[in-house]
Amino acid sequence: MKKYFLIVSLMVTIVAFSQTKKNYNIGLLLDTKTEESTELLSRLRNEIKAVVGEDATISFSEANVLINNFNLEKAATNYNMLLNSNADIILSFGLTNNVVISKIKTFQKPTILFGEINKDFDFIDGDKETSVISNFTYIILPQSYKRDLSTLQELSSFTTVGIAVEEGLVNVLPFKDLFNKVSQELGVEFKMIPYTTSDDISNAINNDIDAFYLASGFFLNDNDISKIAAKLIEKKIPSFTNTTIGDVKNGMMATNNSGDNLEQFFRRIALIIESYVNGQNLSESQVFLEFDDKLTLNKNTAEKVGLSIKFSLVANTNFVGDFANVVSEKKYNLLDVMKTVVGENLSLQASQKEIELSEQDVRTSKSNYYPSVTANASGTYVDPNIAEVSLGQAPEFSTIGGIALNQTLFSEAVNANITIQKELLKAQEELYNSDQLDAIFEVSNVYFNALILKANLQIQNQNLNLTKKNLQIAKQNYEAGQSGKADVLRFRSEAAQNMQSLVEASNQLAQTFFVLNQLLNNPIDYKIDIDEAELGEGILKNYNYQQLRDLIDDPKSRKPFIDYLVKIAKENAPEIKSLDYSLNANKRSIKLNGPGRFLPTLALQAQYNNEFSRSGEGSQHVVEGVPTGQYFVAASLSIPIFNRTQTNINKQIATIQQDQLIINKDNVALSIEANVNTAVLDLINQIANIEISEISETAAKESLELTQVSYSNGAVNIVQLLDAQNNYLFAQQANITAVYNYLLSSIQLERFISYYFLMHTPEENQAFMQAFNEYFQNRD
């Protein structure tokens, strides 16, 4: 009976409460109305209803939404119409309405003035904490046109800025006087751009300005902003806006507004209405709305207009954009860098010169079988007394000349040298092939490191935004009394550290691009970008990486495949081929200093001399008819019998060198086998990492979301939230780099087997795998 009585009493209380619940009609005064403003007003309505909740019934009627179209008289008429309507609370938005409402001294109905009230206009007293006027309050934002232009000046050092304001506002507010004062203080010029549509702004963007400021653009939609931003980027004009961060994401360069300002703004309006509903006079509401503002900058837009960010601003700047190097003179994919490094790398060009030098050594060795022809001439003066008694053999004055020929017909040493130099040339060519394979791997390694750093840059930016979100949760908990201020300070510290990590990640990516430019023989500051590398996509679509993964992942095929790879690696290895050619040269040297030393050397010599003139004393021959020219021809044959002990020493040196080369060859073969096996194990690890990292990231993300909710409800502490955030950060990094590490490990294996799949045609790669299938079927 008692339970029945309690239930009936509770029901009567609930019914009585619902019958006393008051209804409030909200009236809205707007300067203009667009699709953008309609959506925002819908969000504002939902926020007000959610905050007021069960305290009262909030009603909105389209009949109570009045537009003045930037007309002061219409604005005053609209306000009077709402005073005579069923509106219980009046919300006034826009500068035109602000001008009208701010002049009223007493208010018949509760009126809340908000939107675009900043410190630069003096129609609202900015020194009061409350309005002190019954039935009236307003919201003063920390926005300032002067502050925005000062920031833009610091970013771009402009001389003339174009300032866009709705034409209706220009006609009712002293914008020109305001900006004239500000421009004088900054030492710059300005150009007013009154507009009705976004086309008016686009058409006014010309070369007579070197910066642009959207001072009033709340009612422009996303398409309008994107179109204006595109024109500014085309003209390479830095831009700034006092609107929301959404406009920066759509292409405007920067703003002093942060991401959560609009939500905070709507929440303040809703809280004011809630307080009024619960009996508080509007005159007691706080008028200042403090934002935790920082400069928000679109990194992509800044790069496109050629703006470099000062490092002094980085710590207090929020970045938006995808952090890819969008401004690039050339974009490479993996195959591009492989081919380019082969043709352009300076180290390879230097190595190519070694081949050319070896070719000259071959030519030099062959030239020993070419004839050597020399010519000479001389003039002689002899003491006249001696010439007189020389019987015509030594005239006082004479000129003579001669020509000599030397020709080697057979030489074992020359033959050996020709063979040795040819083998050394082949060895040098194989060393170049090795350098080429190393260069391809090095540039691929740098390429994948750049991809990893690009991904890490994105992750660091996301982590920074996540920290900012957690900071907002901490602030809300602090304001609600669920946590202390220490949590807020801790997340502010985390945000600063995250920003530092973001800067370091950006610089690391830039450094990697420097290295890539060096390898590709580009100017170091050449603007480049790189394509993503994904399995089965793009240039990797037609290559055997997935098939390679399947063979290694299958325990049945793994061991035979490794054996086959080792076999191919030894067959292809330019290092082994180079040693083989060096061994051939060494064997020829041993033969030369062995039996070859007893082979004779056969040569031919010939010479012709002629006396061109003679005069003075003793110039007459005693015998008439003496010829003026003479010649001789001779053949020579030489056999080395004993050359001290030098020949035996040379043979012993060559034998020791042969042993050394054989040891080196065995060592290279052993290293190749170890490298192939190690690379395969590394690939197995990377295959596991790909699968595990995906699971890990999914779990870490879900854990973080749950922890955030628990923290906002006061169920967990800050340490647990930070652990969840860091765990998610590490999981993201592991997942995004897993595929890159797998591909890099694949490239490393290809280097060990001296066969890059990307550098061969699909038919050649298919033949490679077909050869393995035959090997697999024919193995013992």
Side-chain angles (χ1 to χ4, degrees):
M1 185 67 180
K2 289 182 177 179
K3 289 183 179 180
Y4 176 77
F5 176 75
L6 288 173
I7 293 174
V8 172
S9 299
L10 180 60
M11 292 178 62
V12 171
T13 303
I14 292 174
V15 172
F17 177 78
S18 63
Q19 289 177 344
T20 60
K21 187 175 179 180
K22 189 174 180 180
N23 180 73
Y24 289 89
N25 294 311
I26 306 296
L28 280 170
L29 297 175
L30 304 175
D31 283 352
T32 187
K33 191 175 182 180
T34 63
E35 292 181 5
E36 183 85 3
S37 64
T38 300
E39 180 183 350
L40 293 174
L41 289 175
S42 177
R43 289 174 55 187
L44 175 60
R45 291 188 182 106
N46 293 334
E47 182 70 17
I48 293 172
K49 290 181 178 180
V51 170
V52 173
E54 297 298 325
D55 293 344
T57 300
I58 302 298
S59 300
F60 293 90
S61 171
E62 287 299 321
N64 288 334
V65 179
L66 304 180
I67 315 298
N68 63 52
N69 292 318
F70 305 111
N71 185 293
L72 289 174
E73 293 182 1
K74 181 64 174 175
T77 301
N78 289 344
Y79 180 68
N80 290 325
M81 289 178 62
L82 288 182
L83 290 179
N84 297 318
S85 71
N86 65 343
D88 300 302
I89 300 174
I90 298 174
L91 303 182
S92 174
F93 178 81
L95 283 173
T96 306
N97 284 318
N98 291 345
V99 173
V100 173
I101 302 299
S102 62
K103 296 178 181 179
I104 300 175
K105 302 301 181 182
T106 59
F107 294 84
Q108 302 176 26
K109 290 186 176 182
T111 302
I112 303 173
L113 187 63
F114 66 94
E116 301 190 68
I117 303 177
N118 61 50
K119 302 174 181 178
D120 295 326
F121 290 117
D122 57 3
F123 49 76
I124 291 292
D125 190 347
D127 295 328
K128 297 178 181 179
E129 293 185 3
T130 64
S131 69
V132 198
I133 301 175
S134 181
N135 267 350
F136 178 65
T137 191
Y138 48 88
I139 299 176
I140 297 180
L141 305 176
Q143 295 174 332
S144 167
Y145 301 122
K146 179 180 179 180
R147 175 191 172 201
D148 288 349
L149 288 172
S150 297
T151 304
L152 180 58
Q153 169 70 5
E154 186 176 3
L155 287 172
S156 64
S157 302
F158 67 83
T159 57
T160 303
V161 58
I163 302 176
V165 182
E166 286 101 332
E167 187 172 14
L169 292 179
V170 173
N171 296 330
V172 299
L173 289 172
F175 274 103
K176 292 182 180 179
D177 294 338
L178 172 63
F179 289 127
N180 185 57
K181 179 181 178 182
V182 173
S183 64
Q184 289 179 0
E185 292 178 4
L186 295 176
V188 297
E189 301 292 332
F190 75 96
K191 168 189 172 183
M192 288 298 300
I193 304 177
Y195 73 90
T196 303
T197 67
S198 60
D199 289 335
D200 298 333
I201 299 177
S202 297
N203 294 333
I205 297 173
N206 296 307
N207 295 328
D208 57 345
I209 61 173
D210 56 358
F212 174 81
Y213 177 46
L214 183 60
S216 177
F218 183 81
F219 297 104
L220 293 173
N221 59 39
D222 290 347
N223 291 332
D224 293 333
I225 295 296
S226 297
K227 183 167 62 175
I228 295 169
K231 180 67 175 293
L232 291 165
I233 291 172
E234 177 189 347
K235 295 289 186 179
K236 294 191 177 301
I237 297 176
S239 58
F240 207 93
T241 177
N242 79 334
T243 54
T244 65
I245 191 175
D247 291 343
V248 176
K249 292 179 179 179
N250 284 327
M252 299 297 288
M253 191 185 77
T255 181
N256 274 324
N257 295 329
S258 62
D260 63 336
N261 286 356
L262 204 56
E263 181 180 345
Q264 191 175 351
F265 183 64
F266 288 165
R267 176 61 59 91
R268 170 61 70 86
I269 296 171
L271 290 173
I272 291 174
I273 293 176
E274 180 194 33
S275 298
Y276 174 78
V277 167
N278 290 320
Q280 177 178 294
N281 193 291
L282 294 184
S283 62
E284 301 175 18
S285 297
Q286 295 290 321
V287 297
F288 287 101
L289 179 59
E290 293 296 336
F291 293 150
D292 186 18
D293 274 350
K294 287 185 178 181
L295 173 67
T296 299
L297 185 136
N298 188 314
K299 181 178 182 292
N300 304 141
T301 300
E303 289 180 346
K304 288 178 181 178
V305 300
L307 186 69
S308 298
I309 307 303
K310 296 180 180 179
F311 284 104
S312 58
L313 296 175
V314 169
N316 295 314
T317 302
N318 298 322
F319 291 98
V320 298
D322 61 4
F323 282 82
N325 194 354
V326 295
V327 181
S328 60
E329 299 176 59
K330 186 172 180 60
K331 194 170 188 178
Y332 293 95
N333 60 34
L334 180 57
L335 184 57
D336 289 336
V337 297
M338 286 180 167
K339 290 182 176 180
T340 304
V341 79
V342 170
E344 302 295 336
N345 183 262
L346 292 179
S347 296
L348 283 182
Q349 291 180 29
S351 182
Q352 179 67 43
K353 293 300 179 182
E354 294 292 336
I355 295 178
E356 295 177 14
L357 290 173
S358 295
E359 289 173 346
Q360 297 307 310
D361 290 338
V362 172
R363 294 182 63 188
T364 299
S365 67
K366 290 180 178 180
S367 70
N368 288 322
Y369 270 129
Y370 296 158
S372 172
V373 180
T374 59
N376 62 79
S378 64
T380 306
Y381 170 74
V382 179
D383 186 335
N385 295 324
I386 300 297
E388 185 178 0
V389 298
S390 67
L391 301 178
Q393 297 300 310
E396 182 180 2
F397 299 99
S398 65
T399 57
I400 61 175
I403 184 168
L405 169 68
N406 290 286
Q407 172 69 60
T408 300
L409 300 178
F410 175 81
S411 171
E412 178 64 7
V414 172
N415 291 340
N417 190 37
I418 291 174
T419 302
I420 289 171
Q421 294 305 324
K422 285 181 177 179
E423 295 297 324
L424 291 179
L425 171 60
K426 294 175 183 177
Q428 188 61 54
E429 289 172 344
E430 292 302 330
L431 289 178
Y432 172 79
N433 292 336
S434 177
D435 291 341
Q436 190 178 84
L437 292 170
D438 289 339
I440 292 173
F441 174 71
E442 183 180 6
V443 78
S444 301
N445 187 29
V446 174
Y447 183 91
F448 283 112
N449 283 338
L451 284 177
I452 290 172
L453 289 172
K454 280 184 70 174
N456 182 57
L457 188 59
Q458 294 277 25
I459 292 171
Q460 292 294 343
N461 185 50
Q462 293 171 7
N463 188 54
L464 175 60
N465 292 331
L466 182 58
T467 300
K468 293 173 184 176
K469 181 178 179 181
N470 289 338
L471 175 60
Q472 293 303 316
I473 296 174
K475 287 179 179 179
Q476 294 172 3
N477 284 358
Y478 172 62
E479 293 171 356
Q482 294 181 353
S483 64
K485 192 174 182 180
D487 286 9
V488 176
L489 298 176
R490 176 65 184 276
F491 275 118
R492 284 180 178 170
S493 175
E494 284 290 320
Q497 294 174 20
N498 294 159
M499 178 57 70
Q500 179 62 31
S501 298
L502 183 64
V503 172
E504 291 175 355
S506 178
N507 289 336
Q508 287 172 351
L509 179 59
Q511 290 169 347
T512 304
F513 281 142
F514 291 157
V515 176
L516 193 57
N517 276 330
Q518 179 188 359
L519 292 174
L520 301 178
N521 194 20
N522 292 329
I524 294 300
D525 58 352
Y526 188 60
K527 299 294 185 182
I528 61 174
D529 196 10
I530 53 177
D531 285 333
E532 294 293 328
E534 299 181 30
L535 284 173
E537 299 293 335
I539 62 169
L540 301 179
K541 185 175 183 180
N542 297 323
Y543 294 89
N544 295 345
Y545 289 110
Q546 187 62 44
Q547 189 175 4
L548 176 67
R549 172 179 173 172
D550 294 340
L551 287 170
I552 292 175
D553 192 38
D554 187 353
K556 293 182 180 179
S557 61
R558 184 184 305 152
K559 182 61 170 64
F561 189 59
I562 292 175
D563 293 340
Y564 175 72
L565 291 178
V566 170
K567 173 179 173 292
I568 292 298
K570 292 179 179 180
E571 292 175 357
N572 291 346
E575 297 85 359
I576 291 181
K577 292 179 181 178
S578 177
L579 289 170
D580 283 337
Y581 290 128
S582 296
L583 276 169
N584 292 338
N586 185 262
K587 289 177 182 178
R588 189 65 180 87
S589 179
I590 292 175
K591 181 180 179 182
L592 171 65
N593 292 286
R597 63 181 173 174
F598 297 113
L599 293 176
T601 299
L602 180 63
L604 176 70
Q605 297 88 34
Q607 185 169 331
Y608 173 78
N609 297 319
N610 185 67
E611 185 178 53
F612 297 114
S613 67
R614 55 169 49 213
S615 61
E617 297 294 334
S619 61
Q620 296 298 323
H621 289 287
V622 177
V623 181
E624 296 293 335
V626 175
T628 59
Q630 56 180 318
Y631 67 91
F632 73 86
V633 176
S636 66
L637 180 69
S638 63
I639 299 175
I641 297 175
F642 184 75
N643 185 22
R644 300 181 294 275
T645 59
Q646 190 62 49
T647 302
N648 287 331
I649 291 174
N650 290 341
K651 182 179 179 181
Q652 291 173 7
I653 291 173
T655 302
I656 294 172
Q657 290 174 337
Q658 183 183 52
D659 294 340
Q660 184 183 42
L661 288 170
I662 292 173
I663 292 172
N664 287 338
K665 180 180 176 181
D666 292 340
N667 184 49
V668 170
L670 193 62
S671 296
I672 287 174
E673 187 170 356
N675 288 337
V676 170
N677 279 273
T678 301
V680 170
L681 289 177
D682 189 35
L683 274 174
I684 294 172
N685 290 336
Q686 299 305 332
I687 291 171
N689 285 341
I690 291 175
E691 305 298 333
I692 294 172
S693 61
E694 291 178 356
I695 298 173
S696 177
E697 182 183 3
T698 301
K701 182 179 181 181
E702 185 176 353
S703 174
L704 175 61
E705 291 172 349
L706 293 174
T707 306
Q708 281 181 322
V709 174
S710 298
Y711 178 76
S712 63
N713 294 329
V716 298
N717 58 37
I718 187 175
V719 175
Q720 292 169 289
L721 179 56
L722 285 172
D723 286 344
Q725 180 178 341
N726 290 331
N727 185 43
Y728 181 51
L729 171 64
F730 297 145
Q732 281 182 301
Q733 291 174 327
N735 187 33
I736 201 67
T737 59
V739 172
Y740 297 149
N741 284 331
Y742 168 75
L743 289 172
L744 181 57
S745 297
S746 299
I747 296 293
Q748 186 177 43
L749 176 60
E750 292 171 27
R751 170 59 189 96
F752 291 147
I753 65 175
S754 304
Y755 185 93
Y756 289 109
F757 287 106
L758 280 177
M759 300 293 286
H760 292 79
T761 65
E763 293 75 18
E764 290 172 332
N765 294 332
Q766 188 60 39
F768 180 93
M769 300 309 297
Q770 182 61 34
F772 164 69
N773 292 332
E774 294 175 1
Y775 174 85
F776 185 77
Q777 293 171 0
N778 297 330
R779 76 188 193 283
D780 294 333

